[in-house]
Amino acid sequence: MVIVVFFFNFHHLQVMSCPDPATTNCTDQDRKLLEFPLNLEYLEAEFFLFGALGFGLDKVAPNLTMGGPSPIGAQKANLDPLTRDIILQFAWQEVGHLRAIKKTVKGFARPQLDLSKKAFAKVMDKAFGVKFVPPFNPYANSYNYLIASYLVPYVGLTGYVGANPKLQCPASRKLVAGLLGVESGQDAVIRGMLYARAAHIVYPYGVTVAAFTDKISDLRNKLGKAGVKDEGLVVPKFMGAEGQVIGNVLVGNEFSLSFDRTPEEILRIVYGSGNESVPGGFYPKGADGEIAKSYLVTVGRVGLDKVAPNLTMGGPSPLGAQKAKLDRLTRDVVLQFAWQEVGHLRAIKKRVKGFARPQLDLSKKAFAEVMDKAFGKKFVPPFNPYANSYNYLIASYLVPYVGLTGYVGANPKLQCPASRKLVAGLLGVESGQDAVIRTMLYARASHIVHPYNVTVAAFTNKISELRNKLGKAGLKDEGLLVPIAKGAEGKVLGNVLAGDESSLSFDRTPEEILRIVYGSGNERVPGGFYPKGANGEIAKSYY
Ligand SMILES: *[C@@H]1O[C@H](CO)[C@@H](O)[C@H](O)[C@H]1NC(C)=O
Ligand SMILES: *[C@@H]1O[C@H](CO)[C@@H](O)[C@H](O)[C@H]1NC(C)=O
Ligand SMILES: *[C@@H]1O[C@H](CO)[C@@H](O)[C@H](O)[C@H]1NC(C)=O
Ligand SMILES: *[C@@H]1O[C@H](CO)[C@@H](O)[C@H](O)[C@H]1NC(C)=O
Ligand SMILES: *[C@@H]1O[C@H](CO)[C@@H](O)[C@H](O)[C@H]1NC(C)=O
């Protein structure tokens, strides 16, 4: 039953109107808001490049540093093959993000970064209020490195959510939506990997992985001085999605939307000082760009029917949906997604009137038809999404990604700041769901799905190819393994997150999405999961 709620993603695409006529000019404010995140993108690029390769931008893309000083104390981490593989993908994605931002705004040189063991150890000591002996070393092993990585992309994600409503120009909003999609995905991949190991006790501190994430999130809330906008992997039930679960693989507010942060809040956190005018932490000399500098200058230095019947608005119950046979971790994670989607429905309906649930077909047969089409042959026995965790995750691969690309496509067109805030919050969590599903599949990419003699990776490739074919808008979808030319910066064939040539999330129009979810390749010909067509003015305008 839980899968039902994934399918509501699509409804989110209804256009939201805003009374204020908006400017189409890119303003100076846009430029400042786009330049500010360079501070975080530099830090992530260096931390991930060094962690995976033992060297950074000075070697792989010296032009992008614009002559800024080399980072202090960054080094290669001692990582297991899967972690290293994924971190290397993130590293190249960050290089793409730096290029993408600098293509749009002039930017500034790499600020002085402190990525030494000592800088990380200080954060951990502060988070726990004790001095760890030996000091926490982010580079010592995969656990430590993932915990250290938990520190960063999430802050970037909240910053993009915060900036989006303020951006005037469609081109700026397109860039930010693409960045937000992939940053949120990185955060979700890291959280997904940590979540699977939440109960592991980190040597020699006798503290679980979950407790580390809790303490780090508490510290960030304290430093940010803007209430609770950060949550660990396990939370009190009332803070979980819809107040129903304690697992918290993705962070979200009471509507399961991503939290937003202002540049001031972000500076307080990354400086570790709780004061945007007092540099320190990873930025010993402060961050760069007009926004960050303005603070330095001032101090003279540089299953719906049952759980929420109201939300269905009386629409018909879905066909053929059933409980899946899942292992514990998969069920736990999927249940969180289910409640997050309930929150999203509430959030959207608070902002717009919305419409009743359309007729959905979630039967085994509907999924089997998609798989047969993807592979161009009839599977015997037919593919059953509910049979086990592998099948269910492969079926789940079908959905959040399409919603994500839809939000990226809608963002540049939204006129009203409140609409953009909503879409950024939705985008952050949808992208996270897609990333968690992809991570779980990625860790099992070479598993052969019984009885089809086809690997998990091949399933994802065929599904992505089918979506590209149905969408009729070129390549906007990629499986878990790609030709190296299509990997991040053309350097890797692992593809835990999909992205364009600058590692930005792809965008799709409502027409493209309808062609895909109808399975017909034609936005006027309903079918697939929507036997009677989708609802809402946009979808209805086609039939
Ligand atoms: C956009 O900028 C142009 C040129 O500076 C100006 O003529 C036009 O009025 C501006 N449009 C809006 C909507 O601000
Ligand atoms: C780096 O900049 C130099 C000088 O502007 C240019 O000639 C070179 O092609 C650039 N290299 C890359 C990899 O962009
Ligand atoms: C932040 O630091 C500046 C400079 O030291 C100081 O003037 C200001 O009072 C501090 N703000 C807070 C809220 O502590
Ligand atoms: C459902 O709607 C009814 C009538 O509008 C309202 O009284 C009730 O509180 C709602 N229930 C929930 C759970 O929102
Ligand atoms: C499974 O697929 C592989 C590669 O496509 C092939 O070599 C092998 O013979 C197949 N095995 C079975 C049992 O069909």
Side-chain angles (χ1 to χ4, degrees), residues 127-347:
F128 280 85
V130 297
K131 221 174 164 58
F132 276 141
V133 182
F136 181 85
N137 176 357
Y139 302 107
N141 56 55
S142 297
Y143 283 104
N144 289 18
Y145 193 80
L146 285 172
I147 289 169
S149 301
Y150 178 90
L151 282 169
V152 189
Y154 179 68
V155 178
L157 152 66
T158 54
Y160 289 127
V161 177
N164 195 51
K166 298 178 196 153
L167 293 170
Q168 299 299 317
C169 174
S172 312
R173 300 206 290 267
K174 183 161 180 197
L175 172 62
V176 161
L179 291 164
L180 171 54
V182 171
E183 275 318 292
S184 158
Q186 290 177 346
D187 173 62
V189 170
I190 292 164
R191 290 182 74 104
M193 291 174 83
L194 289 171
Y195 193 76
R197 313 169 187 190
H200 172 86
I201 293 172
V202 180
Y203 182 81
Y205 307 114
V207 173
T208 61
V209 166
F212 262 100
T213 63
D214 240 24
K215 291 287 186 186
I216 293 170
S217 290
D218 283 351
L219 176 66
R220 287 195 294 216
N221 283 328
K222 214 174 85 188
L223 293 173
K225 298 188 175 158
V228 174
K229 296 191 177 180
D230 204 319
E231 299 166 347
L233 294 173
V234 178
V235 292
K237 198 167 178 185
F238 76 92
M239 284 170 72
E242 298 294 298
Q244 299 285 342
V245 283
I246 60 169
N248 199 44
V249 69
L250 300 175
V251 181
N253 70 5
E254 78 273 22
F255 295 103
S256 290
L257 304 178
S258 291
F259 288 104
D260 58 320
R261 284 203 183 278
T262 62
E264 293 77 2
E265 291 168 47
I266 290 175
L267 292 172
R268 288 175 205 148
I269 293 170
V270 297
Y271 289 171
S273 64
N275 184 330
E276 62 275 20
S277 302
V278 180
F282 301 118
Y283 300 84
K285 299 185 176 170
D288 207 342
E290 278 180 48
I291 293 181
K293 278 185 157 171
S294 71
Y295 297 108
L296 297 179
V297 168
T298 60
V299 295
R301 276 192 296 179
V302 280
L304 278 184
D305 279 325
K306 189 134 178 213
V307 303
N310 284 12
L311 292 178
T312 69
M313 295 166 86
S317 297
L319 302 172
Q322 63 179 79
K323 184 163 176 185
K325 228 171 129 181
L326 302 177
D327 66 72
R328 283 177 56 171
L329 177 64
T330 307
R331 180 173 184 284
D332 171 349
V333 168
V334 168
L335 184 60
Q336 294 177 45
F337 290 178
W339 289 115
Q340 287 164 0
E341 294 301 339
V342 173
H344 290 179
L345 287 173
R346 284 195 301 111

Side-chain angles (χ1 to χ4, degrees), residues 448 451-454:
I448 293 172
Y452 308 115
N453 192 26
V454 172

